[in-house]
């Protein structure tokens, strides 16, 4: 490990570290534009110049210079100060004076560093260069005259997203960043280039000209668009969420977020349920809370009551519904809306045991019935990292582009019983073998994939390579709370009274009883219900969610629900009084304590340790996988379907529609 001095401070850094990293270890701030911790080194901007001895008598780019023993680094000498001022002057030569109208204003690296390290004046008197705008799709707005050619967006698209559709054309002063043939970027992670861009060249198109950062109230919460549990920050003004950006969590999402996570939030204010409705004469009509509760209480259910949890619901809501049903003499709970009925007697057997971060360490990976690119984009990026370290990837299912090299084994599940020699050899040589089972394979192949634990030797010391990939944010929390019947949702379809907790993906034609929908959007569930009770979305309530790897996480309320809508647990608490089964808590804190008492694992944030036991189920499988559960990445839930941005993404990126851009 090299030892060196930075401004007289001795530091020791790992082998392979750069001088820039050594400076940061010494507590010194080094300005940069092109350097990013998660991307390859480009050395474009030269803003990170420092003086190094021994070495040439000129400043050197610290981001590209390896740290070595006995180096002396100086970050504040007159030479360094003069060099940084010159670099900043060059960067600003062609940069327009757009700060008053630029969406990056207030959180712009170029603004901050020009104040801290710039000269305060420019000697350039020539005409500024102008660059025509580029089209990158419905997510990213481009004003390329502002671009300083740091190439962060190019490197992200190639190295992280795996979609090489952003690049540079021309040379020198004429260099321009553009998408391939100026078409929309097809990556489901394209919105991350907005965060990466250190200037205002790439900004968020849906958020354009909406607000300044100092106007916004910032709330830390958890994303519910998939089961990854991306840590996010919701920026709101008044009663509306205007922006969603990722937070850093190395174990879950690093610092990335999918486009659906970022931009579905404009669906939070559209198609909202803001008052109760009761069906009369075949039509839903507005009603008071008392009228809606009375209609539910009048149902003669005789204890035949069921609750179906949707994909976005929090653990507190599911627990309140569970206690209400218990008071009504029922335990018929189900959370798998679309009909899956895999064995849940062992939660470890339906968990992502390797963990999301652990995926990077795998050296042989078998995907079974999963389209990772749409079902969990941020797990897909981890597999790309594993491949860079030498991992081999095999897959069972219909062939598709996953952004990396895959050896496809066909779409017939019977191949799991007789894997090709190339697969068995790769797994025999692997120290960290890994199998990922998707929703399509769970329907009839759960037992066959569990058989692979033994045949492929997936469990080793400090390593469990068996993983089930859920797609719903509520799934693991629901399974921990008992939202699973032996026969799946078919076991609750004959209930005389059914509560749907934000469940919009159910086949409602199979439910003949009285249907009560508690949710936030006027989608499929509300259209089929006999009584609609307006609830709160994930942005409008505090809650607990458990992600696909069994990680307990909590989110906070960013805004209040519209109109007469209420937090879901308060609706169930008020309804319990009317139905004669009063819930034993009157506050959110009381609800949580009761939930922790029944499921202690939900008390502490972090990974839950599930005991590994393999259910005694059939280890054979047959049948062909015709497709994957997610047919349209951008329209997977009620919030997305209400979002104009997600509708546009679906139309353009999934269905190939073209849109004419108005001239500006």
């Amino acid at each position: 490990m090299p030892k060196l001095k930075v401004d007289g401070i001795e530091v020791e850094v790992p082998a392979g570290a750069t001088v820039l990293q050594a400076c940061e270890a010494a507590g010194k701030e080094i300005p940069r534009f092109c350097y990013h911790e998660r991307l390859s080194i480009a050395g474009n901007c030269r803003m990170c110049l420092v003086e190094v001895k021994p070495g040439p008598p000129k400043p050197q780019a610290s981001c590209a210079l390896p740290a070595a023993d006995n180096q002396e680094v100086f970050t504040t000498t007159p030479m360094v100060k003069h060099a940084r001022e010159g670099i900043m002057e060059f960067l600003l030569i062609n940069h327009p004076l757009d700060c008053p109208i630029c969406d990056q204003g207030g959180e712009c690296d170029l603004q901050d560093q020009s104040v801290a390290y710039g000269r305060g004046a420019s000697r350039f008197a020539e005409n500024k260069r102008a660059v025509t705008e580029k089209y990158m799709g419905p997510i990213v707005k481009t004003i390329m005259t502002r671009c300083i050619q740091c190439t962060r967006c190019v490197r992200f698209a190639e190295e992280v997203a795996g979609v090489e559709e952003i690049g540079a054309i021309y040379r020198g002063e004429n260099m321009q960043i553009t998408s391939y043939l100026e078409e929309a970027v097809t990556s489901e992670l394209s919105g991350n280039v907005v965060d990466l861009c250190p200037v205002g060249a790439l900004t968020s198109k849906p958020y354009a000209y909406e607000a300044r950062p100092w106007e916004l109230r910032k709330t830390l919460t958890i994303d519910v668009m998939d089961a990854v549990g991306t840590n996010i920050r919701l920026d709101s003004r008044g009663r509306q969420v205007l922006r969603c950006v990722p937070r850093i969590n190395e174990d879950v999402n690093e610092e990335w977020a999918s486009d659906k996570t970022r931009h579905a939030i404009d669906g939070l204010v559209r198609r909202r349920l803001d008052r109760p409705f009761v069906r009369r004469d075949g039509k839903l009509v507005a009603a008071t809370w008392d009228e809606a509760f009375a209609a539910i209480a009048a149902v003669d259910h005789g204890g035949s009551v069921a609750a179906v949890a949707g994909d976005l619901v929090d653990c507190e809501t599911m627990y309140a519904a569970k206690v209400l049903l218990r008071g009504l003499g029922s335990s018929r709970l189900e959370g798998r809306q679309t009909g899956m009925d895999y064995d849940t007697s062992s939660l470890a057997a339906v968990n992502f045991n390797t963990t999301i971060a652990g995926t990077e360490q795998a050296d042989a990976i078998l995907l079974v019935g999963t389209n990772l690119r749409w079902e969990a984009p941020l797990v897909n990026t981890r597999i790309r990292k594993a491949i860079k370290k030498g991992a081999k990837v095999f897959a069972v299912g219909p062939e598709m582009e996953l952004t990396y090299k895959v050896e496809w084994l066909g779409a017939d599940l019977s191949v799991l019983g007789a894997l090709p020699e190339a697969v068995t050899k790769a797994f025999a040589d692997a120290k960290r073998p890994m199998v990922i089972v998707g929703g399509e394979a769970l329907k009839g192949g759960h037992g066959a994939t569990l058989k692979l634990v033994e045949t492929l030797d997936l469990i080793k010391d400090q390593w469990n390579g068996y993983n089930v990939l859920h797609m719903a944010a509520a799934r693991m929390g629901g399974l921990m709370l008992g939202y699973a019947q032996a026969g799946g949702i078919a076991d609750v379809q004959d209930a005389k009274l059914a509560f749907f907790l934000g469940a919009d993906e159910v086949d409602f034609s199979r439910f003949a009883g009285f249907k009560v929908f508690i949710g936030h959007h006027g989608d499929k569930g509300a259209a089929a219900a006999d009584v609609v009770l307006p609830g709160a979305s994930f942005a409008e309530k505090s809650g607990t969610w458990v992600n696909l790897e069994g990680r307990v996480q909590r989110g906070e309320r960013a805004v209040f629900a519209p109109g007469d809508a209420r937090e879901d647990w308060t609706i169930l608490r008020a309804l319990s009084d009317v139905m004669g089964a009063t819930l034993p808590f009157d506050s959110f804190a009381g609800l949580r304590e009761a939930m922790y008492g029944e499921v202690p694992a939900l008390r502490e944030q972090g990974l839950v340790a599930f005991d590994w036991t393999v259910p005694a189920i059939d280890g054979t499988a047959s049948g062909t996988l015709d497709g994957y559960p997610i047919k349209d990445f951008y329209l997977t839930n009620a919030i997305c379907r209400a979002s104009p941005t997600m509708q546009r993404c679906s139309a353009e990126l999934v269905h190939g529609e073209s849109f004419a851009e108005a001239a500006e």
Side-chain angles (χ1 to χ4, degrees):
M1 296 174 69
K3 289 184 179 179
L4 63 159
K5 285 186 177 180
V6 179
D7 290 341
I9 302 171
E10 188 170 292
V11 293
E12 186 174 3
V13 295
T18 63
V19 169
L20 187 150
Q21 292 169 319
C23 292
E24 290 187 334
K28 300 297 179 179
E29 180 180 316
I30 303 296
R32 83 292 295 271
F33 291 111
C34 69
Y35 175 80
H36 191 277
E37 293 81 357
R38 302 185 198 279
L39 304 176
S40 62
I41 295 170
N44 293 344
C45 71
R46 319 306 288 180
M47 194 65 204
C48 63
L49 293 173
V50 295
E51 188 177 348
V52 181
K53 293 181 181 178
K58 63 179 182 179
Q60 298 187 63
S62 60
C63 71
L65 183 66
D69 283 322
N70 303 318
Q71 277 180 335
E72 286 192 73
V73 181
F74 304 94
T75 66
T76 58
T77 62
M79 178 195 292
V80 172
K81 182 176 183 295
H82 182 71
R84 289 176 180 171
E85 288 176 350
I87 293 297
M88 183 59 70
E89 193 173 1
F90 272 117
L91 289 173
L92 293 174
I93 277 177
N94 286 311
H95 198 79
L97 298 175
D98 280 353
C99 297
I101 61 159
C102 178
D103 272 322
Q104 198 81 350
E107 47 191 11
C108 174
D109 291 352
L110 191 63
Q111 279 184 332
D112 297 340
Q113 294 185 39
S114 63
V115 169
Y117 304 102
R119 289 183 68 244
S122 174
R123 293 166 287 182
F124 188 74
E126 314 302 324
N127 291 327
K128 285 181 179 286
R129 179 193 66 161
V131 180
T132 56
E133 311 308 354
K134 313 299 181 188
Y135 183 70
M136 289 192 178
I139 296 296
V140 181
K141 178 180 174 66
T142 66
I143 303 180
M144 301 312 291
T145 300
R146 301 171 185 164
C147 180
I148 61 170
Q149 287 100 34
C150 70
T151 69
R152 281 187 181 183
C153 54
V154 177
R155 285 174 283 148
F156 173 84
E158 178 183 348
E159 298 165 14
V160 179
V163 178
E164 300 178 15
E165 294 178 358
I166 304 177
I169 55 175
Y170 313 132
R171 299 183 66 187
E173 187 189 27
N174 296 320
M175 178 178 168
Q176 299 180 22
I177 303 295
T178 182
S179 60
Y180 180 67
L181 297 180
E182 294 195 31
E183 297 286 338
V185 178
T186 59
S187 172
E188 47 289 315
L189 297 168
S190 65
N192 290 291
V193 300
V194 172
D195 288 348
L196 287 171
C197 184
V199 296
L202 304 178
T203 56
S204 171
K205 188 173 285 187
Y207 175 69
Y209 309 126
E210 287 288 338
R212 288 299 192 186
W214 54 84
E215 299 177 300
L216 303 176
R217 181 172 177 268
K218 299 171 176 59
T219 307
L220 309 183
T221 189
I222 303 300
D223 171 56
V224 298
M225 295 297 134
D226 57 26
V228 171
T230 302
N231 288 218
I232 58 173
R233 190 189 77 209
L234 295 179
D235 293 351
S236 57
R237 183 176 60 193
R239 299 189 70 165
Q240 182 175 352
V241 176
L242 294 177
R243 184 170 66 166
C244 172
V245 294
R247 292 184 284 136
I248 295 177
N249 187 324
E250 299 294 349
D251 294 327
V252 182
N253 58 292
E254 299 179 284
E255 61 183 75
W256 315 126
S258 73
D259 291 349
K260 186 164 55 175
T261 296
R262 288 175 178 274
H263 296 294
I265 48 106
D266 57 355
L268 291 173
V269 294
R270 293 170 171 85
R271 301 185 190 173
R272 288 304 301 268
L273 299 172
D274 60 358
R275 70 193 72 178
F277 289 87
V278 175
R279 190 173 297 278
R280 294 179 182 143
D281 299 324
K283 293 184 179 180
L284 287 172
V285 296
T288 65
W289 282 101
D290 289 340
E291 290 170 341
F293 286 170
I296 300 169
V299 178
D300 182 14
H301 54 76
S304 178
V305 187
V308 180
D311 291 348
L312 315 182
V313 70
D314 55 296
C315 291
E316 287 81 358
T317 298
M318 289 188 281
Y319 179 71
K322 178 180 181 178
V323 177
L324 175 60
L325 261 66
R326 186 186 299 155
L328 298 174
S330 175
S331 61
R332 304 176 73 181
L333 309 169
E334 184 54 67
R336 298 165 292 181
Q337 300 181 69
T338 55
M340 286 191 282
D341 58 355
Y342 46 84
D343 190 296
T344 60
S345 58
S346 167
L347 291 185
V350 291
N351 185 49
F352 201 89
N353 297 292
T354 302
T355 72
I356 295 172
T359 302
E360 298 178 16
Q361 308 305 320
D363 45 12
I365 302 171
L366 174 63
L367 309 178
V368 185
T370 178
N371 173 4
L372 271 178
R373 188 171 170 182
W374 278 8
E375 294 169 12
L378 296 179
V379 175
N380 208 44
T381 61
R382 302 278 190 166
I383 289 185
R384 287 183 54 80
K385 284 189 175 184
I387 289 173
K388 290 177 182 177
K389 296 176 182 178
K392 295 180 179 179
V393 181
F394 307 90
V396 177
E399 293 190 22
M400 63 160 308
E401 176 53 55
L402 290 174
T403 74
Y404 43 80
K405 183 180 178 181
V406 178
E407 185 174 327
W408 293 92
L409 308 178
D412 194 332
L413 280 175
S414 62
V415 74
L416 298 177
L419 290 168
E421 184 181 351
V423 180
T424 54
K425 184 178 186 308
F427 274 79
D429 296 340
K431 296 180 180 179
R432 294 285 187 267
M434 185 178 185
V435 169
I436 300 179
V437 184
E440 190 65 19
L442 269 182
K443 291 180 180 177
H446 190 204
T449 59
L450 281 169
K451 193 75 173 175
L452 297 176
V453 173
E454 181 180 340
T455 57
L456 295 181
D457 193 18
L458 297 180
I459 297 181
K460 302 177 184 292
D461 184 38
Q462 301 296 311
W463 179 264
N464 185 334
Y466 182 79
N467 304 279
V468 168
L469 187 102
H470 297 296
M471 294 161 281
R475 185 70 73 247
M476 279 305 296
L479 294 178
M480 292 171 69
L481 287 164
Y483 274 73
Q485 299 292 298
I489 201 166
D491 278 4
V492 301
Q493 289 173 354
D494 62 342
K496 294 180 180 178
L497 174 61
F499 291 96
F500 297 93
L501 311 176
D504 286 295
E505 318 305 325
V506 179
D507 183 355
F508 292 96
S509 65
R510 296 180 179 273
F511 284 82
F514 194 88
K515 296 182 278 291
V516 179
F517 180 76
I518 304 175
H520 39 79
H521 276 75
D523 204 80
K524 302 171 188 175
D530 296 300
V531 171
V532 175
L533 303 178
S537 72
F538 77 101
E540 296 150 5
K541 59 185 173 184
S542 299
T544 302
W545 285 271
V546 184
N547 77 348
L548 55 83
E549 58 182 349
R551 184 180 300 275
V552 179
Q553 302 186 110
R554 305 206 208 293
E556 300 299 326
R557 178 176 60 198
V559 293
F560 288 95
D564 287 337
R566 298 290 182 266
E567 292 185 39
D568 304 47
W569 80 268
T570 63
I571 296 173
L572 293 164
R573 173 63 181 82
L575 178 61
S576 69
D577 283 340
V578 178
M579 300 190 74
T582 303
L583 297 182
F585 39 78
D586 296 317
S587 66
F588 189 66
L591 185 162
R592 274 189 166 168
E593 279 303 316
M595 181 176 72
Y596 298 156
E598 197 163 318
V599 187
L602 293 174
R603 181 182 292 274
E604 299 296 332
Q605 297 189 62
L607 283 174
V608 177
F610 297 115
D611 292 331
W612 176 257
T613 55
V614 178
I617 52 180
D618 186 11
T620 61
S622 60
T624 302
L625 302 177
D626 298 323
Y628 298 104
I630 296 179
K631 307 303 180 186
D632 190 327
F633 172 74
Y634 299 99
L635 301 177
T636 53
N637 58 61
I639 299 175
C640 294
R641 290 189 286 268
S643 164
T645 304
M646 293 296 98
Q647 292 172 11
R648 168 77 181 264
C649 287
S650 171
E652 186 169 354
L653 302 177
V654 177
H655 300 289
E657 295 183 25
S658 59
F659 291 83
E661 289 289 302
E664 296 184 7

